[in-house]
Amino acid sequence: MRTLPWADIALDHKNRTRGRGRLEGRHLKTATFRHLGYPGARQALRVVRWRKDLTSGKTTIERLYFVTSLPPGAVSGAQIADWIRGHWKIENQLHHVRDTTFAEDASRIRVGSLPRVMASLRNLAISVFRQDDHTNIAAACRYTVRDPQRPLTALGIT
């Protein structure tokens, strides 16, 4: 995908933000090609992301490539850019919670389907707490274990 003629393709979306001690910019280009080498792929995407650290002055540039099955014109460049950035929300709200609150990385369960089962149970607990408007999952766990009826009530069993 790097060899596609990105210089000749018009910019679909650009964004510039400032926060956390840095400037960030993102440029999104989308290209439609018949043969991308990926089954079902309709478009190729390139995001050029640059960050400038305001304290050190260091600038880093990344080029990210994606494919999508979305047909051309189905969504705007801004929507695609939001979706690409939105994957960090999943990382922060699910995987980070599983790693820190439930210490998933320290789990000694390693055989058969048990790791997948435990991950599913952790996801269930996080989802139930989020559904009940808890923002701090660790606090929700501590609150729930104090009364054996609370987990059943949260699941709608009692």
Side-chain angles (χ1 to χ4, degrees):
M1 287 198 336
R2 287 180 214 177
T3 60
L4 295 175
W6 293 109
D8 301 333
I9 298 170
L11 191 65
D12 282 324
H13 178 72
K14 71 180 186 176
N15 183 9
R16 187 173 171 162
T17 59
R18 182 183 181 127
R20 299 182 183 202
R22 62 184 178 220
L23 289 173
E24 294 184 0
R26 287 168 207 81
H27 294 177
L28 170 73
K29 291 184 176 185
T30 60
T32 305
F33 288 90
R34 290 179 189 250
H35 303 288
L36 287 174
Y38 295 94
R42 303 285 297 272
Q43 295 184 84
L45 312 169
R46 184 181 81 168
V47 175
V48 177
R49 179 173 56 201
W50 60 267
R51 294 183 189 111
K52 180 177 181 179
D53 188 306
L54 296 176
T55 55
S56 68
K58 181 181 175 185
T59 301
T60 58
I61 299 173
E62 294 177 303
R63 286 173 182 82
L64 308 168
Y65 298 92
F66 303 91
V67 293
T68 181
S69 60
L70 290 170
V75 295
S76 69
Q79 286 176 299
I80 293 173
D82 286 343
W83 290 341
I84 291 170
R85 290 197 72 196
H87 89 279
W88 285 110
K89 184 175 183 179
I90 295 169
E91 175 64 31
N92 292 335
Q93 288 189 337
L94 181 63
H95 300 294
H96 179 72
V97 172
R98 282 177 26 189
D99 290 344
T100 57
T101 302
F102 292 108
E104 186 173 60
D105 290 343
S107 175
R108 300 194 48 122
I109 300 170
R110 293 180 179 34
V111 295
S113 60
L114 288 177
R116 185 173 294 164
V117 170
M118 289 305 299
S120 298
L121 290 172
R122 291 178 189 112
N123 287 344
L124 173 66
I126 293 167
S127 298
V128 169
F129 290 142
R130 296 253 189 248
Q131 184 177 336
D132 287 344
D133 296 324
H134 292 282
T135 56
N136 185 329
I137 302 302
C141 287
R142 289 189 299 270
Y143 174 78
T144 303
V145 300
R146 291 185 190 124
D147 181 359
Q149 290 299 316
R150 287 182 184 147
L152 300 174
T153 303
L155 291 171
I157 295 174
T158 60

